[in-house]
Amino acid sequence: MQCAFAAAQTTAPTPASVAPPGRPAPAAAAPAVAQLPAAAPGSTWQLVRTIALPQPGVASLDRRGNLYVADSRDNIHQYGPDGQALNVYSAPQPGHVAQLEAWNTTKILVFYDDRQQLLLLDRFAAPLGEFNLLDLLDGTARAATLAPDDRLWLLNESDLTLRQFDAATRRFTVSTPLDLLIGRSRPDFRFLREYQNNLYLVDRVNGIYVFDNLGNYRKKLPFPGLSTVGFRADELYFLADGAVQLLQLYTLAQRTVPLPAGVPAAEVRQVLLGESYAYLFTQAGLQVYKL
């Protein structure tokens, strides 16, 4: 079957809010999905299952297609690609999960922003280790992610620097000041992710700052109003205007894929796209679709 994400009409996405820190929020309401051109014949979403998970939080996919999502009590749920429940991790002490990163091949990163802690889990959602950022940073981390080489990227909100930490040597290997990039604006950093040798920093005010994997600034993508983005193959995607907006990372071609027919766009708070499955998050839980 032809995938909807290979056949949708090309159009320019309009930036809109996707999620506040640690909690997805409703996408922009206009234009509605019904006003968007229909996808090509045969490109359909097939509902596989619906999972009850009230007020789901941040979520991430690993390279095997497994899904990790925080619930309203900040427990981490692991599901198989088709939505079958696998494992649950419950932290011994409370903390707000602001970011999950599962793309690393061997471990999952959990960032607790309120207690400034990074937790590493294995592929069975069992703890591997943790870092207290208050011992590493002279300031407060706003966003964090795990690089493919197991180094940590941290956004220090106190001095507006992007820093890379090598856990093996316990040293910072990169420090990139952001004040000249930001200028006089008041940034609102929400999300950090390394993908295909580039680092993407989402600023809700100014757009998406792109750096190389050594922390050198490359460009800015003009999509303000976002709180998170996703990646699939060579595309960056986000939820806006009642649809999935996709941007080709190298040609910058843009296209739009409508949400499944019959799904109220105002109820969808976040979308994740895997190779074979897609996940739509609402206040009541998530829906798993075969692509």
Side-chain angles (χ1 to χ4, degrees), residues 37-235:
S43 56
T44 59
W45 304 65
Q46 299 180 38
L47 181 63
V48 174
R49 72 178 73 234
T50 298
I51 301 172
L53 191 70
Q55 298 181 352
V58 293
S60 182
L61 293 170
D62 68 18
R63 293 176 189 261
R64 298 173 180 85
N66 295 317
L67 172 69
Y68 301 80
V69 55
D71 64 20
S72 59
R73 296 183 177 180
D74 295 298
N75 302 307
I76 309 298
H77 296 256
Q78 181 192 42
Y79 299 95
D82 61 355
Q84 293 189 32
L86 298 178
N87 296 291
V88 179
Y89 172 75
S90 299
Q93 56 181 317
H96 176 248
V97 180
Q99 189 165 343
L100 279 173
E101 179 53 69
W103 193 247
N104 185 285
T105 55
T106 59
K107 58 196 66 172
I108 300 101
L109 177 77
V110 186
F111 172 42
Y112 296 94
D113 59 350
D114 55 351
R115 66 179 193 233
Q116 290 289 287
Q117 184 183 51
L118 296 178
L119 173 68
L120 297 177
L121 303 176
D122 67 15
R123 290 299 165 186
F124 302 99
L128 290 173
E130 60 185 38
F131 296 91
N132 186 345
L133 298 182
L134 296 176
D135 295 334
L136 303 180
L137 287 177
D138 184 15
T140 301
R142 172 66 165 170
T145 194
L146 186 63
D149 60 3
D150 287 347
R151 296 186 181 187
L152 300 169
W153 285 106
L154 304 171
L155 189 284
N156 189 339
E157 190 174 42
S158 301
D159 62 5
L160 292 179
T161 57
L162 183 62
R163 310 193 73 180
Q164 186 187 72
F165 180 73
D166 186 341
T169 62
R170 306 291 295 185
R171 295 176 54 249
F172 283 100
T173 53
V174 173
S175 183
T176 302
L178 304 178
D179 49 350
L180 293 180
L181 296 178
I182 297 164
R184 298 187 174 217
S185 68
R186 301 183 64 182
D188 185 3
F189 298 114
R190 297 296 186 101
F191 182 82
L192 190 61
R193 171 83 185 274
E194 183 174 336
Y195 186 77
Q196 293 188 358
N197 295 319
N198 284 321
L199 184 66
Y200 296 82
L201 174 61
V202 176
D203 175 8
R204 187 176 173 86
V205 175
N206 295 300
I208 305 170
Y209 294 98
V210 184
F211 305 83
D212 65 18
N213 59 2
L214 297 177
N216 300 306
Y217 174 70
R218 297 193 60 199
K219 60 187 174 184
K220 183 174 71 173
L221 302 176
F223 301 117
L226 299 177
S227 293
T228 188
V229 295
F231 298 89
R232 183 178 187 266
D234 289 341
E235 290 183 301

